[in-house]
Short mmCIF file of all heavy atoms in Angstrom, two decimals:
data_model
loop_
_atom_site.label_atom_id
_atom_site.label_comp_id
_atom_site.label_asym_id
_atom_site.label_seq_id
_atom_site.Cartn_x
_atom_site.Cartn_y
_atom_site.Cartn_z
N ARG E 54 45.46 74.53 108.71
CA ARG E 54 46.55 75.49 108.95
C ARG E 54 47.78 74.74 109.49
O ARG E 54 48.91 75.08 109.16
CB ARG E 54 46.11 76.57 109.94
CG ARG E 54 45.17 77.53 109.31
CD ARG E 54 44.84 78.65 110.30
NE ARG E 54 43.63 79.31 109.88
CZ ARG E 54 42.66 79.71 110.67
NH1 ARG E 54 42.74 79.49 111.98
NH2 ARG E 54 41.58 80.31 110.21
N THR E 55 47.57 73.72 110.33
CA THR E 55 48.70 72.96 110.84
C THR E 55 49.32 72.20 109.67
O THR E 55 50.54 72.17 109.49
CB THR E 55 48.24 71.99 111.95
OG1 THR E 55 47.74 72.73 113.03
CG2 THR E 55 49.40 71.12 112.42
N TRP E 56 48.51 71.63 108.82
CA TRP E 56 49.01 70.93 107.59
C TRP E 56 49.87 71.95 106.78
O TRP E 56 50.98 71.59 106.37
CB TRP E 56 47.82 70.45 106.75
CG TRP E 56 48.20 69.99 105.39
CD1 TRP E 56 48.07 70.71 104.24
CD2 TRP E 56 48.73 68.74 105.02
NE1 TRP E 56 48.51 69.96 103.16
CE2 TRP E 56 48.97 68.76 103.62
CE3 TRP E 56 49.12 67.59 105.73
CZ2 TRP E 56 49.47 67.68 102.93
CZ3 TRP E 56 49.64 66.54 105.04
CH2 TRP E 56 49.85 66.58 103.66
N ASP E 57 49.35 73.15 106.55
CA ASP E 57 50.09 74.14 105.76
C ASP E 57 51.40 74.52 106.41
O ASP E 57 52.34 74.91 105.73
CB ASP E 57 49.24 75.40 105.53
CG ASP E 57 48.05 75.16 104.57
OD1 ASP E 57 48.09 74.17 103.85
OD2 ASP E 57 47.12 76.04 104.54
N SER E 58 51.46 74.49 107.76
CA SER E 58 52.69 74.90 108.44
C SER E 58 53.79 73.86 108.41
O SER E 58 54.93 74.16 108.69
CB SER E 58 52.38 75.22 109.93
OG SER E 58 52.17 74.07 110.66
N LEU E 59 53.46 72.61 108.01
CA LEU E 59 54.53 71.55 107.94
C LEU E 59 55.44 71.84 106.75
O LEU E 59 54.94 72.15 105.67
CB LEU E 59 53.86 70.18 107.73
CG LEU E 59 52.94 69.68 108.86
CD1 LEU E 59 52.28 68.36 108.42
CD2 LEU E 59 53.72 69.50 110.14
N PRO E 60 56.74 71.75 106.96
CA PRO E 60 57.66 71.92 105.85
C PRO E 60 57.39 70.89 104.77
O PRO E 60 57.05 69.71 105.05
CB PRO E 60 59.03 71.69 106.51
CG PRO E 60 58.83 71.87 107.98
CD PRO E 60 57.42 71.49 108.22
N ASP E 61 57.53 71.27 103.50
CA ASP E 61 57.21 70.37 102.36
C ASP E 61 57.82 69.01 102.48
O ASP E 61 57.15 68.02 102.24
CB ASP E 61 57.63 71.04 101.06
CG ASP E 61 56.65 72.12 100.65
OD1 ASP E 61 55.51 72.16 101.13
OD2 ASP E 61 57.04 73.01 99.89
N PRO E 62 59.13 68.88 102.92
CA PRO E 62 59.69 67.51 102.98
C PRO E 62 59.00 66.60 104.01
O PRO E 62 59.15 65.39 103.94
CB PRO E 62 61.14 67.74 103.38
CG PRO E 62 61.42 69.17 103.13
CD PRO E 62 60.09 69.90 103.20
N PHE E 63 58.24 67.19 104.91
CA PHE E 63 57.61 66.41 106.00
C PHE E 63 56.09 66.38 105.83
O PHE E 63 55.36 66.02 106.74
CB PHE E 63 57.96 66.96 107.36
CG PHE E 63 59.45 66.92 107.60
CD1 PHE E 63 60.21 68.08 107.52
CD2 PHE E 63 60.07 65.73 107.87
CE1 PHE E 63 61.56 68.08 107.74
CE2 PHE E 63 61.44 65.71 108.10
CZ PHE E 63 62.19 66.87 108.03
N ARG E 64 55.62 66.73 104.64
CA ARG E 64 54.16 66.75 104.36
C ARG E 64 53.87 65.81 103.24
O ARG E 64 54.31 66.04 102.19
CB ARG E 64 53.74 68.18 104.04
CG ARG E 64 52.27 68.39 104.05
CD ARG E 64 51.87 69.80 103.92
NE ARG E 64 52.55 70.47 102.80
CZ ARG E 64 52.59 71.78 102.66
NH1 ARG E 64 52.09 72.60 103.55
NH2 ARG E 64 53.20 72.30 101.63
N PRO E 65 53.16 64.71 103.50
CA PRO E 65 52.56 64.30 104.77
C PRO E 65 53.62 63.78 105.77
O PRO E 65 54.70 63.40 105.34
CB PRO E 65 51.58 63.16 104.39
CG PRO E 65 52.13 62.62 103.13
CD PRO E 65 52.81 63.77 102.44
N LEU E 66 53.28 63.74 107.02
CA LEU E 66 54.20 63.24 108.04
C LEU E 66 54.43 61.77 107.78
O LEU E 66 53.48 60.96 107.70
CB LEU E 66 53.64 63.46 109.43
CG LEU E 66 53.56 64.91 109.92
CD1 LEU E 66 52.81 65.01 111.20
CD2 LEU E 66 54.92 65.48 110.01
N PRO E 67 55.67 61.38 107.52
CA PRO E 67 55.99 60.00 107.13
C PRO E 67 55.70 58.96 108.25
O PRO E 67 55.82 59.26 109.40
CB PRO E 67 57.46 60.01 106.79
CG PRO E 67 58.02 61.28 107.41
CD PRO E 67 56.88 62.21 107.64
N GLY E 68 55.31 57.78 107.80
CA GLY E 68 55.09 56.66 108.69
C GLY E 68 53.82 56.74 109.53
O GLY E 68 53.60 55.98 110.45
N ARG E 69 52.95 57.70 109.19
CA ARG E 69 51.69 57.92 109.93
C ARG E 69 50.55 58.10 108.93
O ARG E 69 50.75 58.57 107.85
CB ARG E 69 51.79 59.15 110.82
CG ARG E 69 52.71 58.93 111.98
CD ARG E 69 53.34 60.24 112.47
NE ARG E 69 54.48 60.59 111.65
CZ ARG E 69 55.43 61.44 111.99
NH1 ARG E 69 55.36 62.10 113.12
NH2 ARG E 69 56.45 61.69 111.20
N ILE E 70 49.35 57.72 109.36
CA ILE E 70 48.16 58.05 108.58
C ILE E 70 47.83 59.52 108.89
O ILE E 70 47.64 59.87 110.05
CB ILE E 70 46.97 57.17 108.99
CG1 ILE E 70 47.31 55.65 108.82
CG2 ILE E 70 45.72 57.57 108.29
CD1 ILE E 70 46.35 54.72 109.56
N ASN E 71 47.86 60.36 107.87
CA ASN E 71 47.62 61.81 108.04
C ASN E 71 46.17 62.07 107.68
O ASN E 71 45.66 61.69 106.63
CB ASN E 71 48.49 62.59 107.07
CG ASN E 71 49.96 62.66 107.49
OD1 ASN E 71 50.51 63.71 107.71
ND2 ASN E 71 50.61 61.50 107.62
N VAL E 72 45.49 62.82 108.62
CA VAL E 72 44.11 63.26 108.39
C VAL E 72 44.08 64.77 108.54
O VAL E 72 44.49 65.27 109.56
CB VAL E 72 43.14 62.63 109.40
CG1 VAL E 72 41.71 63.05 109.07
CG2 VAL E 72 43.24 61.08 109.39
N VAL E 73 43.61 65.45 107.54
CA VAL E 73 43.50 66.92 107.55
C VAL E 73 42.07 67.34 107.65
O VAL E 73 41.21 66.84 106.88
CB VAL E 73 44.16 67.53 106.28
CG1 VAL E 73 44.00 69.05 106.30
CG2 VAL E 73 45.62 67.14 106.16
N ILE E 74 41.76 68.18 108.67
CA ILE E 74 40.42 68.69 108.85
C ILE E 74 40.32 70.01 108.08
O ILE E 74 41.11 70.92 108.33
CB ILE E 74 40.09 68.86 110.32
CG1 ILE E 74 40.14 67.52 111.03
CG2 ILE E 74 38.77 69.57 110.55
CD1 ILE E 74 39.95 67.60 112.53
N THR E 75 39.33 70.08 107.22
CA THR E 75 39.10 71.30 106.43
C THR E 75 37.66 71.35 106.01
O THR E 75 37.02 70.28 105.78
CB THR E 75 40.03 71.37 105.19
OG1 THR E 75 39.75 72.57 104.48
CG2 THR E 75 39.85 70.16 104.28
N ARG E 76 37.13 72.57 105.90
CA ARG E 76 35.80 72.76 105.33
C ARG E 76 35.85 72.98 103.80
O ARG E 76 34.84 72.99 103.16
CB ARG E 76 35.11 73.94 105.98
CG ARG E 76 34.74 73.67 107.45
CD ARG E 76 33.97 74.82 108.07
NE ARG E 76 34.80 75.97 108.35
CZ ARG E 76 35.43 76.17 109.49
NH1 ARG E 76 35.32 75.31 110.46
NH2 ARG E 76 36.20 77.24 109.65
N ASN E 77 37.06 73.10 103.30
CA ASN E 77 37.25 73.36 101.86
C ASN E 77 37.24 72.00 101.13
O ASN E 77 38.23 71.26 101.10
CB ASN E 77 38.64 74.05 101.60
CG ASN E 77 38.90 74.31 100.16
OD1 ASN E 77 38.19 73.85 99.25
ND2 ASN E 77 40.02 75.04 99.93
N GLU E 78 36.12 71.70 100.50
CA GLU E 78 35.95 70.44 99.80
C GLU E 78 36.89 70.37 98.53
O GLU E 78 37.14 69.28 98.06
CB GLU E 78 34.48 70.22 99.44
CG GLU E 78 33.61 70.03 100.63
CD GLU E 78 32.13 69.82 100.27
OE1 GLU E 78 31.88 69.45 99.12
OE2 GLU E 78 31.29 70.05 101.17
N GLN E 79 37.32 71.51 98.08
CA GLN E 79 38.16 71.50 96.86
C GLN E 79 39.64 71.35 97.16
O GLN E 79 40.44 71.21 96.25
CB GLN E 79 37.97 72.88 96.11
CG GLN E 79 36.56 73.29 95.85
CD GLN E 79 35.70 72.17 95.20
OE1 GLN E 79 36.17 71.55 94.27
NE2 GLN E 79 34.48 71.94 95.68
N LEU E 80 40.01 71.36 98.45
CA LEU E 80 41.42 71.26 98.83
C LEU E 80 41.95 69.94 98.33
O LEU E 80 41.44 68.82 98.60
CB LEU E 80 41.61 71.33 100.36
CG LEU E 80 43.01 71.19 100.87
CD1 LEU E 80 43.87 72.37 100.44
CD2 LEU E 80 43.02 71.03 102.41
N ARG E 81 43.05 70.02 97.62
CA ARG E 81 43.74 68.88 97.06
C ARG E 81 44.86 68.47 98.05
O ARG E 81 45.66 69.28 98.43
CB ARG E 81 44.32 69.14 95.70
CG ARG E 81 43.29 69.27 94.59
CD ARG E 81 44.03 69.20 93.28
NE ARG E 81 43.38 68.91 92.06
CZ ARG E 81 42.43 68.01 91.83
NH1 ARG E 81 41.91 67.31 92.77
NH2 ARG E 81 41.98 67.80 90.58
#
Side-chain angles (χ1 to χ4, degrees):
R54 289 184 197 138
T55 299
W56 169 262
D57 289 344
S58 75
L59 296 174
D61 285 338
F63 300 104
R64 193 171 49 198
L66 291 171
R69 290 154 276 198
I70 300 165
N71 286 239
V72 183
V73 177
I74 297 175
T75 180
R76 290 185 286 270
N77 179 354
E78 294 179 21
Q79 309 309 316
L80 178 67
R81 289 194 160 320

